[in-house]
Amino acid sequence: MSDENLTQQTEAQTQVQSSPLRCVIGAMISGALGYGLYSLMIATATSFATKPIHSDNVIVLKISSAVRTLVVGVMALGTAVFGIVAIGLLALGVQLLVQQLTKQKS
């Protein structure tokens, strides 16, 4: 691509303004994904807890324990990320709403 094409594409792109409604909708989507990951994490952890590892080999026991911990940990990380994003979007929505209300009064 030439520099002219890049400049035209950059100028053609417009930024979408944030609104409280968009923030709340994004927070609801993120919260739903976080709740789904949380439910999946609990189900997986329960499944791992009810099904012990049947082996006498110490290396197998350590590796399977590490894999189980990593699987549950990745799900917990995803849950935390989506939860924090949902809280942040809600806070941004409240901030934008307050800014809009104070701008209208003054």
Side-chain angles (χ1 to χ4, degrees), residues 63-83:
I63 290 174
S64 60
S65 175
V67 168
R68 288 179 175 203
T69 303
L70 285 173
V71 168
V72 175
V74 166
M75 289 183 199
L77 181 65
T79 301
V81 166
F82 281 113

Side-chain angles (χ1 to χ4, degrees), residues 92-103:
L92 178 63
V94 169
Q95 180 183 9
L96 290 174
L97 186 63
V98 168
Q99 285 178 354
Q100 285 179 359
L101 292 176
T102 55
K103 185 195 263 186

Side-chain angles (χ1 to χ4, degrees), residues 4-83:
E4 293 175 14
N5 288 340
L6 291 175
T7 325
Q8 289 174 355
Q9 287 178 356
T10 307
E11 291 173 1
Q13 293 176 351
T14 58
Q15 284 188 330
V16 178
Q17 294 295 324
S18 298
S19 69
L21 180 63
R22 290 177 63 95
C23 291
V24 170
I25 290 172
M28 288 179 7
I29 292 170
S30 180
L33 288 172
Y35 180 73
L37 273 174
Y38 175 76
S39 299
L40 183 65
M41 178 187 68
I42 295 299
T44 305
T46 304
S47 174
F48 285 161
T50 58
K51 297 175 186 164
I53 305 161
H54 300 292
S55 177
D56 294 332
N57 192 344
V58 177
I59 295 174
V60 170
L61 292 173
K62 288 184 178 183
I63 290 174
S64 60
S65 175
V67 168
R68 288 179 175 203
T69 303
L70 285 173
V71 168
V72 175
V74 166
M75 289 183 199
L77 181 65
T79 301
V81 166
F82 281 113

